[in-house]
Amino acid sequence: MSLNSVALPVGRVITAGPSPAGQGPSRHSPSGQGRARRGPRRDGLHWLRLAVWAVLALLVLLPLGVIVFRGAQPSNAGVLADPDVLAAAWNSVSSAAGSAALATAFGALLAVVLDRTDLPGRTVLRWIFLLPFLIPPFIGAMSWMALLAPAGTVNKALMALTGSADPVLDIYGGGGVVFLLAVHSYPLAYLVISAALRRVPGSLEEAARISGAGGLRTFCQVTLPLVRPAVVAAFVLTLVANLSDFGIPALIGLPERYTTLTTLVYRYLASGTVTNPLPAVAAIGVVLLVLGLAAVLLQRRLPGGSELGGSGAAALPLQLGSARWVVTALLWCTAAVVCVLPLLALTEQALLPAPGVPLTWENLTLANIARAVTSGGALTGIANSVLLALGAAVVCGVLGLGVGALLTRTKHRSNAALDVTAMLPQALPGLVLAVAWLLIAPALGIFNTPWVILGAYVMAFLALVVQSVRAPLESVPVSLDEATRISGAGPLRALGDVALRLSVPAAVSGAVVVALTAVRELTISILLVAPGSQTLGVVIFNLQQAGDYNSASALALLVTIVGVAGLSATAALGARRTARTRFRKGK
């Protein structure tokens, strides 16, 4: 899930400029009256809108409509009363809510300390604390398993220190699921709350200071009330994201029979314990769809932060005083334990020949990595993931640019519905999207093919590109459109020559993020995978489940390195482009 979710407001409405003098009939001419009687003129923008709606109807509305139709049948009521489903639903809601509360609290604390205090080294700390956001949750679970499993690094060290024959810590079970979900979702909460803090006008805090309030009192009585909606939004976003996660509950919960709705659906589909699993799966999907929609509606009703223009003096940092170095030491220790040690444990497991082998220079080897990347299953998974990710990136880039252009550069009564249709899948659990495509794939003739995975990827990640192109499209001056129209260009030509051309770099950046996200995806792929179409995430998961921990860790380590490097580079380029745009505006 992305940061802005579906609560982004529709952008500034821009209408086409006046028709050039002498071109086209006047409103008062007979031909103009005849056109008025025949209805509105069908220009290029009309056909673009129809094309975009047709694609969205196939990729979004049809899958969601089918899952609602199939899952809401009265005959499925008994499925939801099944004890296994009720237990899994309780585990899903409780683990998602508990982890979202922890993640929001920790993210808010980080936002305050890293963005509003005089803490030294904030830039480096901020990057380290965002590492879990760049790592797929199931790979993060593998890292913590290497660290805190009964035979993990920490337990072996603690057993040696205490002389105990039994593991001191255990990552498996419901507590481990809540902890790891919180670890992998607090960066999202931090980013949402941090953005809200930056929008608080410094003039309000300055007025409170002038009135005699101290720094802490100003922050508590002025700043925090203004960012309360962002805190609630962060909780809702992390709740939806954690509700849909599959990798962490599967790797950490299932060994202790802790089942969530996502793992229950996977068991229904993979184990054959249910004769006809689709009705049960559809019913569970409808429940998750309702929960996701409720979260979306709640978030859209929250007050936005756009009315806080951030004008006035810059906010003064809170002075930590004598506690400055103590807080710094605590944050560095926390960053090392939460973000760095698990990755080191994963690296250790990837470089050792077998579990339990002592960590010495003589035992380190690259054989696991070489074997993992040259095996037939891994090569097939890599090839499929790359092709599917590139395909999803291209489709999302083109379609997202079209959606963003219609939302920000045109005025039409269907814009609100278009906005919700394009952004809604991002706020829904990945399980719902996978089940929806599982239901419509036979009718479309793509069942057990990679095409069904591609369709689900486009549906899931389209919003990333729409979000990327909104700001660049909104920043294009209206005068450029008007100048193009005066020169004789039609509405579609003007849109393509000005706004779309200037927004292509942002669309490419969004497409790159889609590719890097899709190539590591697991929740959708694990339910839609077919013989010969397994993806890289599925290959890693299957290796882990088969007990080949070292090969799984080797592949996971490579995916982590590529993903972190790629997403960091994309973010840096985006930040540089934004800074360059602001500099040009300032000039």
Side-chain angles (χ1 to χ4, degrees), residues 471-490:
L473 284 169
E474 290 174 344
S475 65
V476 177
V478 185
S479 57
L480 295 181
D481 284 349
E482 294 175 344
T484 307
R485 295 296 304 279
I486 292 173
S487 300

Side-chain angles (χ1 to χ4, degrees), residues 129-499:
F129 274 114
L130 288 177
L131 276 178
F133 191 66
L134 306 179
I135 300 172
F138 78 97
I139 292 181
M142 293 172 56
S143 303
W144 282 94
M145 289 166 63
L147 192 66
L148 294 180
T153 305
V154 171
N155 270 319
K156 288 191 293 186
L158 292 177
M159 290 165 65
L161 289 174
T162 60
S164 173
D166 298 322
V168 178
L169 301 175
D170 190 2
I171 192 64
Y172 297 109
V177 171
V178 172
F179 171 72
L180 289 188
L181 287 175
V183 166
H184 280 271
S185 57
Y186 80 77
L188 176 60
Y190 161 75
L191 290 170
V192 172
I193 299 171
S194 175
L197 280 174
R198 289 194 297 270
R199 290 196 301 266
V200 174
S203 57
L204 298 180
E205 296 181 338
E206 185 180 17
R209 295 286 188 94
I210 294 174
S211 300
L216 182 59
R217 184 178 179 184
T218 298
F219 185 80
C220 294
Q221 295 186 357
V222 176
T223 307
L224 288 185
L226 292 174
V227 300
R228 187 179 296 120
V231 174
V232 178
F235 175 80
V236 172
L237 288 174
T238 53
L239 174 66
V240 173
N242 294 344
L243 189 67
S244 66
D245 190 76
F246 170 79
I248 290 175
L251 293 175
I252 304 300
L254 287 183
E256 292 294 326
R257 301 184 181 275
Y258 185 85
T259 305
T260 62
L261 288 175
T262 54
T263 55
L264 182 66
V265 168
Y266 173 72
R267 191 181 73 187
Y268 280 172
L269 295 174
S271 65
T273 55
V274 178
T275 305
N276 185 16
L278 287 184
V281 167
I284 295 172
V286 169
V287 173
L288 289 174
L289 177 61
V290 171
L291 293 175
L293 283 173
V296 170
L297 295 176
L298 173 62
Q299 187 192 1
R300 291 181 71 88
R301 290 180 64 89
L302 292 174
S306 58
E307 67 274 11
L308 300 179
S311 59
L316 296 176
L318 293 174
Q319 302 296 323
L320 294 177
S322 58
R324 184 184 185 196
W325 297 109
V326 175
V327 174
T328 301
L330 287 175
L331 277 184
W332 275 104
C333 291
T334 303
V337 172
V338 173
C339 305
V340 178
L341 282 183
L343 293 180
L344 293 179
L346 183 70
T347 304
E348 174 190 352
Q349 191 161 269
L351 297 179
L352 290 178
V357 175
L359 179 61
T360 62
W361 284 109
E362 294 76 13
N363 291 333
L364 295 180
T365 177
L366 297 177
N368 292 323
I369 298 178
R371 184 174 67 253
V373 298
T374 56
S375 64
L379 291 176
T380 301
I382 293 172
N384 288 336
S385 289
V386 171
L387 290 176
L388 289 170
L390 291 178
V394 171
V395 176
C396 288
V398 176
L399 182 60
L401 188 58
V403 171
L406 292 175
L407 292 178
T408 59
R409 310 297 294 185
T410 68
K411 182 179 181 180
H412 198 271
R413 59 179 177 272
S414 68
N415 274 5
L418 182 65
D419 186 16
V420 173
T421 302
M423 306 299 292
L424 178 60
Q426 187 187 33
L428 298 179
L431 172 69
V432 173
L433 310 185
V435 171
W437 279 90
L438 192 66
L439 292 174
I440 68 169
L444 297 178
I446 57 175
F447 187 69
N448 276 348
T449 69
W451 294 104
V452 65
I453 301 178
L454 178 62
Y457 279 179
V458 174
M459 181 182 181
F461 304 131
L462 172 63
L464 296 176
V465 178
V466 176
Q467 290 170 345
S468 298
V469 301
R470 274 184 186 268
L473 284 169
E474 290 174 344
S475 65
V476 177
V478 185
S479 57
L480 295 181
D481 284 349
E482 294 175 344
T484 307
R485 295 296 304 279
I486 292 173
S487 300
L492 184 60
R493 175 74 180 273
L495 179 66
D497 287 351
V498 179

